[in-house]
Amino acid sequence: MKIEVWSDYVCPFCYIGKRTLEKALVQAGFASQAEVSFKAYQLNPNTPVDSAVPTYESLAKKFGQTVEQAKEMTRGVADHARTVGLEYNFDNMVEANTLAAHRLVKWAETHGKDGELTEKLMDEYFIQAKNIGNHEVLALIAESVGLSKDEAINVLESDQFMAQVQVDIAEAGQMGVQGVPFFVVNRKYAISGAQPVEAFVEALEQIAEEEGIRPKLKPMGKKTSFCTGDSCDGI
């Protein structure tokens, strides 16, 4: 079972969705059979590189709210994150341009470390409140998963792996992706948003049945099935 996940490292629902998918794969019994890969997507490509603007201020400006209203908006998201064991640190987060992080993960993929780096980037941003738009921070995060810090800096200071990131983003556009996380299974089935574990389990079982094990699920386009849930389309 091949699962491709379009996500962004500053999307709170993406980390929730990642954790929920992992739990669902175990619960449904497909953990050892699933090949999960993460595809690049940028929610806020115009965020200044290496910005230090607090997340609350960034959200308030984006949605025309007060900082207090932005804080209230994130409380529900933080509560949702706790249901899958994640303790978000919105109070200390800053907005971040994630293009460099996406390029770094594409480089990590050449070393078989893309899965580890993806998890670490999300943890560092949402739990540790690190500025993942900063190249030095990114290089240290890469080093923490066993990659060369010097090589990471070389990648970050160039435009290497830009083409691979752009391919992912363009493909999302072609599929009509308007929010993340967005999961595509076996290039036939789409699940949109951070679904509850039970919904993921049901979808995975239906997909397995399409392979001759359980009830059929209608495919994408002329053959596509969509599940929708919490997602980021501008946070």
Side-chain angles (χ1 to χ4, degrees):
M1 187 179 290
K2 182 177 181 180
I3 304 174
E4 297 165 289
V5 188
W6 272 262
S7 68
D8 198 8
Y9 304 113
V10 294
C11 164
F13 291 117
C14 290
Y15 200 8
I16 294 169
K18 180 180 186 294
R19 193 62 84 243
T20 306
L21 172 64
E22 291 164 352
K23 290 177 180 291
L25 284 169
V26 171
Q27 189 170 319
F30 298 125
S32 63
Q33 303 171 50
E35 177 190 339
V36 182
S37 61
F38 285 81
K39 302 291 187 177
Y41 188 92
Q42 275 198 286
L43 286 171
N44 304 306
N46 296 320
T47 300
V49 174
D50 211 9
S51 173
V53 175
T55 293
Y56 291 140
E57 291 183 19
S58 176
L59 291 174
K61 181 178 180 180
K62 182 177 182 65
F63 295 108
Q65 301 174 329
T66 65
V67 169
E68 278 305 314
Q69 287 173 322
K71 288 182 179 180
E72 181 61 33
M73 180 174 66
T74 62
R75 287 188 187 111
V77 180
D79 288 341
H80 189 172
R82 290 188 189 97
T83 67
V84 292
L86 299 173
E87 192 67 36
Y88 281 1
N89 186 3
F90 280 111
D91 287 350
N92 296 305
M93 284 182 209
V94 296
E95 67 175 5
N97 186 305
T98 56
L99 180 59
H102 284 298
R103 289 196 299 110
L104 198 65
V105 170
K106 293 299 183 184
W107 165 69
E109 186 176 0
T110 67
H111 295 277
K113 291 280 189 177
D114 48 312
E116 289 180 66
L117 187 55
T118 293
E119 171 65 27
K120 189 65 174 176
L121 283 166
M122 290 180 168
D123 176 83
E124 291 289 322
Y125 185 70
F126 286 107
I127 313 301
Q128 312 303 326
K130 295 291 180 63
N131 185 350
I132 61 169
N134 179 279
H135 285 188
E136 180 66 22
V137 170
L138 287 172
L140 288 171
I141 294 173
E143 186 177 45
S144 74
V145 299
L147 293 164
S148 165
K149 179 183 176 182
D150 289 340
E151 286 185 36
I153 289 173
N154 288 338
V155 170
L156 292 166
E157 292 182 349
S158 70
D159 63 355
Q160 293 179 64
F161 300 96
M162 180 73 78
Q164 290 90 328
V165 171
Q166 290 174 335
V167 166
D168 284 355
I169 293 172
E171 192 169 15
Q174 291 165 4
M175 290 189 295
V177 177
Q178 296 181 340
V180 287
F182 190 83
F183 307 82
V184 175
V185 184
N186 289 348
R187 284 278 156 164
K188 293 180 181 178
Y189 309 97
I191 303 172
S192 178
Q195 298 288 327
V197 173
E198 296 76 13
F200 265 118
V201 169
E202 182 180 359
L204 292 171
E205 289 176 344
Q206 288 178 329
I207 290 167
E209 183 156 341
E210 173 69 14
E211 303 300 321
I213 302 172
R214 294 186 183 270
K216 291 184 178 180
L217 186 68
K218 295 179 182 179
M220 213 171 49
K222 285 185 175 179
K223 351 161 132 181
T224 301
S225 177
F226 287 92
C227 295
T228 59
D230 287 336
S231 63
C232 293
D233 57 6
I235 287 181

